[in-house]
Amino acid sequence: MLFALALWVSVSTNPAVLSYYGTAGVTETISYDDRVTDIQAIRISRNDEPYVVVLLKTKRKLRLKLYDDDLTLLATRTVRAVQEPYRIGAARIEYLKNAKAVQVRFIRMNDTTDEPVTYLRKRFSIKPDRSQPIAQLRSTTTVISEPTGSDVLDYLGAARLSAGMLPVKRNTSLDYGCALHAEYMRLNDEMTHDEDASKPGYTEEGAAAGVQSVITYQFDNSMISALDLWLEAPYHRFSLLYPEFTSTGWAMSDALYYNEYYNKYFACLNSIAGTEFDSSGYDKNVTYWDYDNHEPIPYPGVNQLNVPILFHGNEEPDPLEALGGTYPTGYAVSLIFPVGNTITDANVTLVDENGNNHPGYLRTPYEEDDPNASYQGNAVLFMAEDPFDYGTTYTATVTATRDGEAYEKTWSFRTTSDT
């Protein structure tokens, strides 16, 4: 359709504003009140006519709004309203092409403890010519718990949910490149993001996947084991928790003989190709959003259970080398701030359930003497000098100056039992 080439939609937050360039050839805008903390939009068509579906989030309510080409409001539908002590956490609207419907995924948070409580998905039909233009089709609710099980997507999703982030979706088209790169590493017995065209197994698709992925080698062929390694290694962890990471694919190599006791396997999971950043554009059925508009992301998550007791140091580059630290340390504790925040004077204290303070190694965003600052990004990272005790509750407190104002976050987690 001709209008699909010209129409344009944009969202911005703080304050929340929707902008739309329609068939009339002018840009219309709608500003929402200060209670709206997030806005997302999708441009759709029905019977060859253009429409805009908007998701508005306040502290305790999610709403859908349907506009026509003149930004005339056609319908409003409450997705979910919550009462104290809860609030709405991370949320996202998506177009489901096969169902010709929109889906809203979101997290219900305990507003007192900051703990993610439930993960909800609601599906709606959009039919502007009906008496009820926005009609709910389906609703599912899942209680959030610590990562368990053997399904890769569920395991990664549980880890993200425990940190207050929405699960990612499977994109099988990304599996192929990862499979090629994993095979390249196996053929050359080399863990590397880059491929050399002169070496066995080189492919353009594998080379592209290599620089877009987290990788590892291990002595079993379990992707769950690989995920545990990536979540343990802080720089790899960050890439798996970012809000813009929305879909992924992965692969594990065949076995490479290592010795009479072990085989060696290479794992690859694409963490870049499935990212979405756009807050404006022309495309239909695409979510336009401000990916940087999120709460700080803690890991381990608030009240997360079965947290590993130590960090082996299986990270490259090494976060401790410049600090003169030694491994193993306590399991890394991190808090990721939005990229647009300016974080200074950050500090971390870690206390166990018996009141013992645990000193450790601290890295804060963009330190001048940090050779790994580009990997660190806008995160605060703390590694206790000694491994944690089994079956023990630890409480972390992060203090900082955030965009010129005092900031503090305190949360607890419990380590795994000695079994």
Side-chain angles (χ1 to χ4, degrees):
M1 300 301 169
L2 292 177
F3 73 75
L5 300 176
L7 303 191
W8 170 86
V9 67
S10 173
V11 298
S12 59
T13 56
N14 194 28
V17 177
L18 170 70
S19 301
Y20 177 70
Y21 182 85
T23 56
V26 296
T27 300
E28 303 283 353
T29 62
I30 298 177
S31 297
Y32 299 94
D33 64 55
D34 292 341
R35 294 175 299 171
V36 175
T37 58
D38 192 23
I39 176 173
Q40 303 175 24
I42 298 177
R43 199 171 62 75
I44 67 170
S45 64
R46 291 293 185 268
N47 298 320
D48 295 335
E49 294 294 328
Y51 298 90
V52 181
V53 184
V54 175
L55 177 68
L56 298 176
K57 172 188 162 186
T58 63
K59 184 174 183 178
R60 305 197 196 279
K61 184 181 288 188
L62 281 174
R63 289 173 294 161
L64 287 174
K65 289 185 176 290
L66 177 64
Y67 297 93
D68 66 11
D69 186 50
D70 298 318
L71 279 196
T72 298
L73 179 63
L74 303 180
T76 298
R77 174 75 187 241
T78 297
V79 177
R80 180 65 183 264
V82 300
Q83 303 297 322
E84 292 183 356
Y86 300 105
R87 73 172 188 273
I88 303 294
R92 181 173 170 83
I93 184 174
E94 298 156 332
Y95 188 77
L96 304 178
K97 183 177 181 181
N98 292 337
K100 295 184 178 179
V102 298
Q103 176 174 259
V104 179
R105 300 187 295 136
F106 60 99
I107 297 173
R108 184 170 65 106
M109 308 280 292
N110 185 309
D111 196 32
T112 302
T113 64
D114 278 346
E115 180 180 5
V117 180
T118 51
Y119 168 52
L120 301 96
R121 290 166 288 175
K122 292 181 177 287
R123 184 178 296 187
F124 299 88
S125 65
I126 307 295
K127 297 181 178 180
D129 57 345
R130 299 289 179 87
S131 59
Q132 189 176 12
I134 307 173
Q136 183 171 307
L137 300 174
R138 185 181 303 173
S139 178
T140 60
T141 301
T142 304
V143 176
I144 295 172
S145 59
E146 73 274 11
T148 58
S150 59
D151 183 271
V152 175
L153 207 61
D154 287 349
Y155 195 89
L156 176 57
R160 286 177 59 87
L161 284 168
S162 69
M165 291 289 100
L166 294 170
V168 297
K169 295 183 176 182
R170 182 75 185 272
N171 184 347
T172 55
S173 67
L174 300 179
D175 293 356
Y176 180 63
C178 258
L180 292 174
H181 187 65
E183 176 65 4
Y184 172 90
M185 292 190 290
R186 186 190 72 85
L187 289 173
N188 296 283
D189 192 10
E190 178 185 13
M191 193 175 78
T192 176
H193 288 283
D194 301 311
E195 292 193 10
D196 184 335
S198 66
K199 290 186 176 182
Y202 171 84
T203 61
E204 291 184 359
E205 297 92 337
V211 297
Q212 295 173 339
S213 301
V214 290
I215 58 173
T216 191
Y217 74 87
Q218 56 196 48
F219 299 109
D220 64 65
N221 64 350
S222 165
M223 282 298 299
I224 301 301
S225 297
L227 281 170
D228 282 336
L229 290 172
W230 291 323
L231 289 168
E232 178 185 331
Y235 304 144
H236 289 71
R237 171 197 297 175
F238 298 158
S239 66
L240 298 183
L241 296 181
Y242 288 139
E244 63 269 26
F245 177 37
T246 59
S247 65
T248 188
W250 60 83
M252 179 74 69
S253 76
D254 291 333
L256 173 68
Y257 177 79
Y258 185 68
N259 59 33
E260 60 181 311
Y261 302 105
Y262 298 106
N263 287 320
K264 196 174 185 180
Y265 300 85
F266 293 86
C268 169
L269 185 143
N270 198 312
S271 60
I272 293 180
T275 54
E276 297 182 16
F277 301 97
D278 294 334
S279 62
S280 63
Y282 298 93
D283 292 331
K284 289 193 303 181
N285 306 334
V286 170
T287 301
Y288 293 107
W289 66 321
D290 178 3
Y291 75 93
D292 200 37
N293 182 34
H294 65 85
E295 299 178 23
I297 306 167
Y299 202 85
V302 177
N303 294 334
Q304 183 172 332
L305 304 176
N306 295 321
V307 173
I309 66 166
L310 57 80
F311 171 33
H312 295 85
N314 52 305
E315 178 62 290
E316 186 179 340
D318 183 352
L320 282 192
E321 184 175 8
L323 296 174
T326 58
Y327 294 105
T329 68
Y331 195 74
V333 176
S334 59
L335 188 66
I336 305 171
F337 289 90
V339 174
N341 287 176
T342 298
I343 305 300
T344 58
D345 304 319
N347 192 34
V348 177
T349 58
L350 187 69
V351 179
D352 65 29
E353 61 189 31
N354 298 312
N356 299 311
N357 183 65
H358 292 259
Y361 309 101
L362 175 67
R363 277 300 189 191
T364 62
Y366 305 109
E367 294 177 5
E368 292 184 0
D369 64 345
D370 184 0
N372 307 324
S374 62
Y375 297 93
Q376 174 92 13
N378 217 26
V380 173
L381 173 64
F382 180 82
M383 295 154 285
E385 292 178 356
D386 299 313
F388 297 150
D389 293 328
Y390 286 106
T392 302
T393 297
Y394 290 83
T395 298
T397 299
V398 176
T399 58
T401 301
R402 181 186 184 191
D403 292 338
E405 297 184 0
Y407 172 86
E408 180 175 319
K409 182 178 180 65
T410 297
W411 78 101
S412 299
F413 56 88
R414 188 169 180 82
T415 56
T416 185
S417 298
D418 183 9
T419 56

